[in-house]
Amino acid sequence: EDQVTQSPEALRLQEGESSSLNCSYTVSGLRGLFWYRQDPGKGPEFLFTLYSAGEEKEKERLKATLTKKESFLHITAPKPEDSATYLCAVQAGSDSSYKLIFGSGTRLLVRP
Amino acid sequence: GAVVSQHPSWVICKSGTSVKIECRSLDFQATTMFWYRQFPKQSLMLMATSNEGSKATYEQGVEKDKFLINHASLTLSTLTVTSAHPEDSSFYICSARTGVRRGQPQHFGDGTRLSIL
C-alpha cells in the first residue's frame, strides 16, 4: 500500500535556527514527490516537485532533496513568515488517475 | 500562472440545505480536478477525482449521492453537498492539474469552510 509519513508532527524554531523536515514514503513506482506549504485557512501552495533520487531543488530559504525512501525539506535561517504547515505528497506510477497521497504534515512555528 | 479560484470561501447554513461549491481554473484548462476534505490539524483527504465530460471517481467511503460532482467544462468543477448535516461541516478544497506530463503538480484553491447549524 502506498504511504507517506512526515516527521516531526510539529517543530518550533528560533528565527535563524536551521532545521530539516522529513518525508518517508512507500510507493509503487514514484511519478513525483511534491512539497506544499499551507497557511491557516488557505489551500496548499506548491513549492517543489522531485522526480528521482539525488535530485535537489531550492527556493529562497528552502531546499528539497530526494532519496529512494525519503525526502527532506531543509530550512536555512528561517524567518517568522516561514511559519506554516508543510505537506509532502507522492504520485504513484501505478495510478493512472494522477491523484496525490498526502502525509499528515509538519506544523512549523518560527519565533522572532 | 496556474491560479485556481474557489467560491464561496465561507458558508453557514441550516441543516438540510444543499450547498454548491465552485472550483475554477483561471488561466489554464484542467481536464482533471480533485476535491479534498480537511479536518482541523489533519491532512487532506481525497474525496473524488473529477474528469471533464465524464462521471467523477469517488474514493472509498465517500457517498456519491451526498457529494455530487459536476465537471461540465475545462475550467469549472462543482461540488454540491446535498441535504447537509452538522457532520458535513469541514474545510473543502479543490485542486487542478496543469498538464498530463509526469509529475505535473496540482494547484489548489483557497478552500471553502462549510458550517452546518
Side-chain angles (χ1 to χ4, degrees):
Chain A
E1 183 183 346
D2 299 330
Q3 197 168 1
V4 179
T5 303
Q6 289 188 248
S7 62
E9 190 174 306
L11 181 62
R12 293 185 178 186
L13 299 173
Q14 286 296 130
E15 184 172 1
E17 180 186 0
S18 302
S19 188
S20 294
L21 314 181
N22 178 264
C23 171
S24 298
Y25 64 92
T26 304
V27 65
S28 51
L30 183 69
R31 279 182 180 267
L33 184 142
F34 304 84
W35 281 99
Y36 287 87
R37 168 192 170 129
Q38 186 176 25
D39 292 300
K42 298 288 187 180
E45 174 189 349
F46 171 69
L47 294 174
F48 304 108
T49 305
L50 300 167
Y51 297 98
S52 55
E55 190 175 1
E56 298 182 352
K57 294 249 178 106
E58 286 189 65
K59 180 181 180 180
E60 297 181 357
R61 295 177 292 281
L62 301 177
K63 178 180 178 181
T65 61
L66 181 66
T67 71
K68 288 186 177 179
K69 294 183 179 182
E70 57 192 349
S71 177
F72 292 94
L73 184 66
H74 308 277
I75 304 178
T76 302
K79 297 181 178 181
E81 53 261 42
D82 294 321
S83 298
T85 296
Y86 290 85
L87 298 168
C88 170
V90 297
Q91 189 177 88
S94 61
D95 191 330
S96 61
S97 70
Y98 302 103
K99 64 185 180 184
L100 296 179
I101 302 164
F102 277 89
S104 54
T106 294
R107 293 192 306 278
L108 174 65
L109 175 64
V110 181
R111 297 170 174 169
Chain B
V3 177
V4 176
S5 174
Q6 196 170 335
H7 178 80
S9 56
W10 192 293
V11 59
I12 302 173
C13 59
K14 294 181 179 180
S15 184
T17 306
S18 291
V19 179
K20 180 185 281 188
I21 302 169
E22 292 187 349
C23 179
R24 294 181 184 272
S25 55
L26 296 186
D27 52 359
F28 65 99
Q29 293 184 332
T31 55
T32 305
M33 291 184 172
F34 303 85
W35 288 96
Y36 295 84
R37 185 172 180 175
Q38 187 175 34
F39 292 102
K41 295 188 177 181
Q42 294 188 27
S43 192
L44 282 73
M45 183 191 79
L46 180 65
M47 298 174 65
T49 302
S50 168
N51 295 296
E52 187 267 336
S54 64
K55 290 183 179 180
T57 303
Y58 291 82
E59 295 299 301
Q60 192 172 6
V62 177
E63 299 176 60
K64 300 178 183 181
D65 295 332
K66 160 68 79 174
F67 300 100
L68 300 180
I69 291 173
N70 183 277
H71 193 160
S73 78
L74 287 172
T75 59
L76 174 64
S77 176
T78 61
L79 168 68
T80 301
V81 184
T82 61
S83 187
H85 293 284
E87 58 266 28
D88 298 321
S89 298
S90 190
F91 191 50
Y92 293 88
I93 312 176
C94 71
S95 72
R97 295 182 69 246
T98 53
V100 296
R101 293 201 316 267
R102 175 192 177 207
Q104 285 281 345
Q106 292 179 22
H107 294 273
F108 288 81
D110 271 342
T112 297
R113 185 157 305 283
L114 176 62
S115 296
I116 309 298
L117 304 178

